[in-house]
Amino acid sequence: PNDTHPDVPLGDETMAVLRREVGTKRDFSFEVANHVDIGERLGMFDFATGSKVCGSRFVYLTGAGAMLELALINWAMQKVVSKGFTPMVVPDLVRQSTMEKCGFQPRAENTQVYNIESSELCLAGTAEILLGGVYMDEVVEEKKLPIKMAAFSHCFRTEAGAAGASTRGMYRLHQFSKVEMFVVATPEQSDALHDELIGIEEEMYTELGFHFKVLDMSSEDLGAPAYRKFDIEAWMPALERYGEISSASNCTDYQARRLNIKYRPSAVDGKKQPLAHCHTLNATACAVPRMIITILENFQNEDGSVNVPEPLQPFMGGLKVLTPEDVAASSK
């Protein structure tokens, strides 16, 4: 694994340190419904068909559910592009060797990775891997750094060992959509960029009106590539707990060494400088299922309707409220 930042708390996930808390828990005057019941009542989810056609942990998003996913993706992409990221749509399949160079283990026991039989390809669990591979085996001029990329992709995870009520519904799926940010930088830039990435996430979720915590994650929760990782956990009222909706990691040169991503420092006194390894960082802009859970559970109304967060309304055809009446009308 990578080294850890000196400020990273040592121990398991219970040792994570609170960096910031935004907003407050909503005080409901009625019994809170969970996202599955809300979504099915609004005609947004079809878990029965997902199970029939594909198996457990799959869902068909229908009606307002499909529109909400597309709204979240378009809103998130617009936000990150405004922050200087180059938008991309990347493949869903990737070479096992590229995945391994990014610090993932497709061949490990209890792996989260779906491998394609009789092939060196596997289904990517995150666009981080595809974006990490863009500059593999390349040398970048220092003046071009940092390079900021953002990708929409489907993510595939076996979710081996995941079970329990907290994983019901949308919380842990085998396939979901995500917008991911990725940065290639110099070592001197990476700490400030890590703060920038978590700042973008905080700004986005504040705009949507979420109540969330920002955590500096502990050493046992970092995974192999991360030098330091900040997680954002949003309040999910029906689950009666905070659930992770996003993270931002500084992987320093861990991935760049394996991917062979180097840069040439600017000349000093006219003399060429030796090549050095870049630093890489990644951050989730929008993991759709967890965002949908947070929206439905926090912005539900007593009559079964759900308020659409204002920033998403232009991407929902101006719709401000999702109502059961809309579902009934569309089914006639």
Side-chain angles (χ1 to χ4, degrees):
N2 200 347
D3 293 334
T4 54
H5 189 284
D7 291 340
V8 167
L10 301 179
D12 62 20
E13 62 182 24
T14 62
M15 301 304 291
V17 172
L18 180 68
R19 278 172 58 92
R20 194 170 297 110
E21 188 167 346
V22 176
T24 55
K25 294 178 187 176
R26 178 181 165 191
D27 186 18
F28 288 89
S29 59
F30 57 91
E31 188 176 342
V32 174
N34 66 62
H35 74 277
V36 179
D37 293 340
I38 298 167
E40 289 186 338
R41 195 162 57 227
L42 292 170
M44 299 174 70
F45 308 147
D46 188 348
F47 284 99
T49 299
S51 181
K52 178 179 73 173
V53 177
C54 310
S56 63
R57 296 189 191 277
F58 287 95
V59 65
Y60 279 51
L61 291 178
T62 54
M67 294 305 295
L68 185 55
E69 163 153 333
L70 294 169
L72 282 162
I73 291 162
N74 280 291
W75 167 77
M77 269 297 194
Q78 189 178 78
K79 287 293 294 184
V80 296
V81 168
S82 76
K83 302 292 185 182
F85 286 76
T86 300
M88 297 187 187
V89 178
V90 296
D92 291 332
L93 290 164
V94 65
R95 285 183 168 142
Q96 289 182 355
S97 57
T98 309
M99 185 171 274
E100 287 168 344
K101 288 172 183 177
C102 286
F104 297 85
Q105 298 180 323
R107 298 182 185 88
E109 198 175 336
N110 281 335
T111 181
Q112 293 294 317
V113 178
Y114 285 106
N115 290 287
I116 308 299
E117 196 172 352
S118 304
S119 168
E120 63 167 342
L121 296 172
C122 47
L123 289 166
T126 168
E128 170 193 340
I129 300 156
L130 282 300
L131 294 174
V134 172
Y135 288 93
M136 180 168 59
D137 297 326
E138 292 192 18
V139 176
V140 184
E141 293 299 321
E142 183 177 14
K143 64 184 178 185
K144 292 185 177 177
L145 298 174
I147 295 168
K148 300 178 180 180
M149 300 172 279
F152 163 74
S153 74
H154 298 111
C155 305
F156 302 87
R157 300 181 186 181
T158 65
E159 293 296 354
S166 65
T167 61
R168 179 174 175 246
M170 300 277 286
Y171 200 82
R172 288 195 188 279
L173 297 170
H174 288 312
Q175 176 181 335
F176 62 94
S177 301
K178 180 159 68 89
V179 175
E180 180 81 1
M181 297 180 280
F182 193 89
V183 184
V184 180
T186 69
E188 293 77 21
Q189 294 168 337
S190 66
D191 277 342
L193 284 163
H194 195 200
D195 287 335
E196 181 182 325
L197 288 171
I198 194 67
I200 292 169
E201 293 177 347
E202 289 174 23
E203 180 183 315
M204 291 175 71
Y205 308 142
T206 300
E207 271 189 30
L208 291 179
F210 291 176
H211 164 47
F212 60 88
K213 292 180 176 180
V214 186
L215 302 171
D216 195 346
M217 299 310 291
S218 53
S219 55
E220 291 179 22
D221 201 52
L222 293 183
Y227 173 68
R228 191 178 195 182
K229 180 163 80 91
F230 302 141
D231 276 7
I232 291 184
E233 296 186 351
W235 176 245
M236 299 177 178
L239 282 177
E240 297 184 322
R241 67 176 179 86
Y242 293 88
E244 181 192 338
I245 61 168
S246 178
S247 66
S249 299
N250 183 355
C251 297
T252 60
D253 61 358
Y254 182 92
Q255 294 175 326
R257 285 181 180 276
R258 289 156 179 78
L259 291 163
N260 191 30
I261 307 173
K262 295 179 179 177
Y263 75 101
R264 184 177 300 283
S266 301
V268 176
D269 297 329
K271 292 181 181 176
K272 261 189 176 182
Q273 299 301 299
L275 298 179
H277 284 99
C278 295
H279 279 196
T280 63
L281 304 95
N282 64 82
T284 312
C286 175
V288 170
R290 304 276 175 97
M291 301 286 275
I292 290 178
I293 294 171
T294 308
I295 288 168
L296 296 187
E297 294 196 357
N298 283 282
F299 305 137
Q300 62 181 292
N301 300 309
E302 192 168 5
D303 64 0
S305 65
V306 174
N307 298 332
V308 178
E310 198 172 325
L312 300 180
Q313 292 173 14
F315 302 97
M316 294 282 290
L319 200 61
K320 295 182 179 180
V321 184
L322 308 177
T323 65
E325 288 75 19
D326 293 337
V327 179
S330 65
S331 63
K332 285 179 182 174

